[in-house]
Amino acid sequence: MIKKVLLALSLALAAVSAHADEGMWLPSLIGSRIKDMRSKGFRLTAEDIYSVNKASMKDAVVLFGGGCTGEFVSAEGLLLTNHHCGYGSIQQLSSVERDYLSDGFWASSREDELPVPGLSVSILVRMEDVTERVAAGEKPADIVAAAEKDGHKADVQQMYYGNQQFLFVYDVFRDVRLVGAPPSSIGKFGGDTDNWVWPRHTGDFSVFRVYAGADNRPAGYSNDNRPYRPKRHFTVSTRGVEEGDFTMIYGFPGSTQEYVTSDAVEYVAEVSDPMKIALRTQRLDIIAAAQAEDAAVRIQYASKHASIANAWKKWQGEVLGLRRLGTVGKKRAYERRFAAWAASRPEYAHLLDSIHAAYEAVRPEYYIAELYSESVGAIEVFSRAQSLADIRSRVAGDAQFADAALGTQPSFLKDYNAGIDRAVASRMIAEFMQRMPAGEVPAEFAAAVSERGGVDAYVGYLFDNTVLTRETFTAAEFDADPVVRMAAMLAPLRTRMAAVRARNLSDIPEVRRWYTPYMRALMEWDTGRAFFPDANLTLRVAYGSVAGYEYADGEYHRPVSTLEGVIEKDNPDIYDYDVPQCLRDMHAAQDYGRWGCDVDGRRTVPVCFIATNHTSGGNSGSPVLNGRGELVGINFDRTWRSTMSDMEFDPAICRNIAVDIRYVLFVIDRIGGASYLLEEMDIR
Ligand code: ARG
Ligand code: ASP
């Protein structure tokens, strides 16, 4: 059996007819793509990208925190990532007196670099195909344990729904320090309005440094630690990019579902995304209205609004994209062809029916789980009650519980507005009751709501009486709290939902088990297709080229943006478009120093560019490299209408968005006044 799998895999990997630029490839297997890459402008070898024997590009790429990518740009551990990836760290180190989010931060020497407690950076030491070892009976846990012997962190990840198993071995560094960040008026320029949008003018980068022990190995924070000396760091190219230039992205995409059947796509496009979008629209409207009324609330809810809006906008693009591409219909046709082939193969003939039946069985429950977390789960004081109730059941005495609860109460209240939450609660409970399938709302809860005379009255009662929005309360008050009682009434539902908790519908074990043989069958059948494993937050290579696209009929969007666009968007009255004065002055004087260049006969500074690389969430902060493997940009986004690439990549419209490395250097040098940082980089 295993021989057959491997044969199917190697046949699949040998095929070169991937759709142009689609794919997120495993670096250790990049050899199968090198010919195609070189035909598109890559000048280096597979060994340059990934090697176990010598330093290679992979040694310069890191998993930043738990969901972004970063890259080394100096021999002394200097690291670049996005501003939005460093946002939490920058916020954590900020205070009213030292507001690094608003003002930016630049360490003036190594001593001034700020340790970020809790932040880690993981560097891939090696990856290894362990499929045959697992098939021969070795336990993944034992493989991991053996790999972790010398202080590494390891895991075994499945590719192709378990048809391939890879061991990943990392070094995890926990002494990571903030070196620099632009003010949000550059790093988050355009805010949520421009988020997922091209043309873009955001300087979305921040700078960190990794520290290690005297032996250059990972070590907990210490004054004695020294800058980590990476095996490899990227050379920075200031030659810039033009339409058509080869680009490669090396990073950690989080999650895609390229091989799921039509049922799963239909669920996303017609059920799940629309429900989540509708609920978030209402929340965002409530929050935005309150923010417009009150400047303090605007700041308080800035980060919450940003994260609610981020996925909300992405899903809208995904729905549009999937419908525009007709992904469901295409998949149905593909499945019909597969079924005809599989009909004479007993081990595969039943698969589509089995997958379909599994979806029918788990989908209602999964929908309830999603609805639950997007509706009542979005009520802040309710989820606070839930997490405190969890603590209540864990800690022994009343006094201990009160200590634990009150200890975190200030941080909960800091960015909390009860007026917003009350309005959200009214809407979300109403939506929850209405959208839940008949008979599924826990009876006790439905009764409690109607006893009070309906949702609004019930919510009024909750918010007039809860103690959870106060600075202090006793354990007895907590136990009698109406929101805590609501959490208790809904607890059975929450417990039930734990059974379908999965990254997505197709990852629920009952469904997923059928994808293992289905994936194998697809590879055996569809020999002309270049299969790549779905993203799963492991290191990948994507390649493509700098390219504009037709945004609408007759409306072509060029692939590069410049400082001219920043100044055109400048508006001191709108927080997200308030350009820093020093930048206005430099623009007025065209005083760009070595960073100025001519675009269309005009002296300016390049800011962002788009390309055809297949990326996903997690690729933020990834190095964008030219054909020589030099750093030309930092990836940070996609256009929202191309976010269906998580399920179907369309080379005509899917574009990733990067900040031009020349803008990064310009901001470090001219806005940050931190030109000493450039001295440790290799700039060409
Ligand atoms: N869209 C980017 C990605 O999905 C996030 C950009 C963060 N910026 C913002 N304005 N919310 O993560
Ligand atoms: N902005 C995303 C990230 O943070 C990237 C994307 O979804 O394209 O990883």
Side-chain angles (χ1 to χ4, degrees):
M1 180 53 102
I2 190 69
K3 278 265 149 57
K4 207 165 160 192
V5 174
L6 292 176
L7 179 69
L9 280 173
S10 60
L11 279 177
L13 295 172
V16 280
S17 63
H19 303 285
D21 306 330
E22 177 183 3
M24 309 171 161
W25 310 96
L26 287 168
S28 62
L29 302 180
I30 200 66
S32 68
R33 308 304 309 171
I34 271 300
K35 229 176 109 193
D36 189 45
M37 290 175 76
R38 290 187 62 95
S39 78
K40 290 172 175 162
F42 187 59
R43 310 266 186 94
L44 307 176
T45 65
E47 275 273 292
D48 292 319
I49 293 175
Y50 180 92
S51 169
V52 257
N53 305 313
K54 60 179 182 92
S56 61
M57 282 154 86
K58 77 119 172 59
D59 298 307
V61 184
V62 310
L63 177 65
F64 183 85
C68 275
T69 305
E71 55 275 2
F72 287 117
V73 287
S74 92
E76 294 174 277
L78 198 67
L79 192 75
L80 295 178
T81 186
N82 290 146
H83 185 259
H84 82 259
C85 295
Y87 204 75
S89 306
I90 304 166
Q91 174 168 25
Q92 180 184 334
L93 298 169
S94 293
S95 61
V96 180
E97 301 77 48
R98 293 167 296 132
D99 181 357
Y100 303 140
L101 280 181
S102 302
D103 306 334
F105 169 79
W106 300 99
S108 48
S109 68
R110 297 272 160 93
E111 289 69 50
D112 290 334
E113 297 174 355
L114 301 174
V116 188
L119 178 62
S120 68
V121 152
S122 307
I123 304 171
L124 183 68
V125 179
R126 63 189 174 88
M127 58 190 288
E128 187 186 327
D129 187 343
V130 294
T131 315
E132 290 192 64
R133 285 168 64 186
V134 173
E138 268 190 80
K139 289 202 183 59
D142 295 340
I143 297 177
V144 165
E148 286 188 340
K149 275 223 175 75
D150 15 79
H152 299 307
K153 181 89 192 73
D155 54 32
V156 170
Q157 291 285 341
Q158 304 194 348
M159 307 292 160
Y160 303 110
Y161 293 92
N163 283 294
Q164 227 177 10
Q165 329 264 342
F166 268 86
L167 169 70
F168 290 87
V169 183
Y170 299 94
D171 273 332
V172 182
F173 290 84
R174 299 187 190 279
D175 186 352
V176 183
R177 306 185 193 172
L178 177 67
V179 174
S184 291
S185 53
I186 288 177
K188 205 176 177 248
F189 183 75
D192 286 326
T193 316
D194 282 11
N195 189 24
W196 301 110
V197 165
W198 182 257
R200 189 65 152 275
H201 299 91
T202 311
D204 196 345
F205 79 94
S206 56
V207 191
F208 290 80
R209 192 186 305 279
V210 175
Y211 280 77
D215 53 359
N216 206 35
R217 298 284 306 144
Y221 171 79
S222 158
N223 234 340
D224 301 331
N225 284 348
R226 303 194 197 144
Y228 171 66
R229 297 182 303 282
K231 285 199 202 118
R232 180 71 183 267
H233 64 271
F234 288 113
T235 296
V236 176
S237 168
T238 57
R239 272 187 298 258
V241 292
E242 274 174 28
E243 183 137 33
D245 284 355
F246 174 90
T247 54
M248 166 178 150
I249 292 208
Y250 211 160
F252 290 87
S255 169
T256 62
Q257 334 178 43
E258 309 287 345
Y259 306 102
V260 292
T261 62
S262 52
D263 284 345
V265 179
E266 187 170 42
Y267 175 75
V268 167
E270 306 303 333
V271 180
S272 169
D273 281 359
M275 178 270 287
K276 294 186 290 192
I277 293 163
L279 297 188
R280 288 198 179 199
T281 303
Q282 299 177 52
R283 272 160 83 194
L284 288 167
D285 285 349
I286 292 166
I287 295 171
Q291 285 180 306
E293 295 268 294
D294 183 337
V297 174
R298 181 180 55 67
I299 296 168
Q300 247 187 342
Y301 273 71
S303 170
K304 287 176 186 167
H305 188 281
S307 72
I308 301 167
N310 192 43
W312 170 78
K313 202 162 181 179
K314 184 202 149 159
W315 292 326
Q316 293 180 56
E318 187 168 69
V319 170
L320 266 173
L322 292 172
R323 289 189 187 155
R324 194 181 61 87
L325 289 177
T327 306
V328 172
K330 273 196 244 168
K331 292 235 176 197
R332 291 228 164 97
Y334 187 73
E335 287 153 22
R336 275 195 297 276
R337 281 185 280 130
F338 171 79
W341 172 84
S344 60
R345 291 168 173 79
E347 74 271 39
Y348 298 144
H350 67 96
L351 281 178
L352 285 173
D353 289 340
S354 301
I355 293 177
H356 181 72
Y359 279 132
E360 295 285 294
V362 301
R363 193 173 41 213
E365 202 69 359
Y366 190 74
Y367 174 77
I368 292 176
E370 289 202 298
L371 174 61
Y372 178 82
S373 71
E374 281 292 323
S375 59
V376 288
I379 303 167
E380 294 175 71
V381 72
F382 177 75
S383 49
R384 177 79 180 148
Q386 276 184 334
S387 47
L388 289 181
D390 291 346
I391 296 175
R392 184 83 172 116
S393 66
R394 272 202 316 269
V395 304
D398 286 1
Q400 262 175 298
F401 166 69
D403 273 358
L406 298 182
T408 51
Q409 194 65 356
S411 72
F412 168 67
L413 292 177
K414 178 174 165 283
D415 290 332
Y416 180 75
N417 180 292
I420 290 180
D421 204 26
R422 182 191 282 245
V424 166
S426 279
R427 285 310 317 144
M428 292 302 108
I429 294 176
E431 289 283 350
F432 171 71
M433 312 272 287
Q434 193 194 321
R435 288 174 189 260
M436 277 290 270
E440 292 285 15
V441 174
E444 198 191 351
F445 178 67
V449 172
S450 69
E451 261 164 42
R452 292 282 157 193
V455 171
D456 289 346
Y458 177 70
V459 168
Y461 156 73
L462 293 181
F463 280 80
D464 290 345
N465 292 286
T466 184
V467 296
L468 301 184
T469 54
R470 298 193 200 148
E471 264 148 46
T472 65
F473 46 81
T474 64
E477 283 173 321
F478 176 83
D479 293 339
D481 191 87
V483 184
V484 176
R485 286 213 306 274
M486 172 179 163
M489 289 185 270
L490 293 176
L493 196 54
R494 190 173 167 225
T495 311
R496 217 174 100 192
M497 295 306 110
V500 289
R501 194 165 299 140
R503 185 154 42 179
N504 59 57
L505 178 60
S506 308
D507 273 324
I508 298 175
E510 287 92 320
V511 180
R512 197 185 153 90
R513 54 183 288 227
W514 300 115
Y515 271 105
T516 311
Y518 177 63
M519 202 65 231
R520 196 156 65 220
L522 283 186
M523 289 172 156
E524 213 176 299
W525 166 61
D526 193 356
T527 48
R529 182 169 178 181
F531 289 90
F532 56 91
D534 273 314
N536 56 3
L537 212 62
T538 58
L539 191 58
R540 303 299 176 91
V541 171
Y543 59 93
S545 58
V546 175
Y549 72 112
E550 189 163 306
Y551 172 79
D553 185 43
E555 191 178 339
Y556 186 73
H557 279 190
R558 296 200 308 173
V560 292
S561 68
T562 68
L563 194 59
E564 306 316 304
V566 176
I567 299 298
E568 274 165 29
K569 287 178 178 172
D570 184 15
N571 185 339
D573 297 329
I574 304 177
Y575 179 80
D576 288 331
Y577 293 101
D578 190 5
V579 173
Q581 189 55 41
C582 56
L583 192 52
R584 286 184 193 128
D585 295 342
M586 265 178 247
H587 179 259
Q590 292 203 1
D591 168 24
Y592 308 133
R594 63 194 275 214
W595 311 112
C597 66
D598 289 317
V599 178
D600 294 339
R602 205 187 161 129
R603 196 88 192 134
T604 188
V605 183
V607 173
C608 291
F609 62 88
I610 50 174
T612 60
N613 299 75
H614 191 177
T615 56
S616 190
N619 268 126
S620 275
S622 298
V624 186
L625 307 159
N626 65 16
R628 294 187 183 81
E630 299 160 340
L631 189 69
V632 290
I634 309 173
N635 185 68
F636 71 98
D637 210 1
R638 281 171 287 171
T639 63
W640 65 288
R641 298 196 315 165
S642 64
T643 53
M644 76 301 191
S645 64
D646 290 348
M647 305 193 95
E648 184 180 356
F649 183 86
D650 176 7
I653 194 174
C654 290
R655 297 292 178 270
N656 63 299
I657 307 179
V659 53
D660 193 305
I661 203 68
R662 293 170 295 177
Y663 192 53
V664 172
L665 299 176
F666 165 78
V667 170
I668 292 177
D669 182 18
R670 302 299 306 279
I671 309 277
S675 59
Y676 52 89
L677 290 177
L678 306 186
E679 280 156 28
E680 63 176 287
M681 301 183 195
D682 295 330
I683 301 178
R684 246 167 245 167

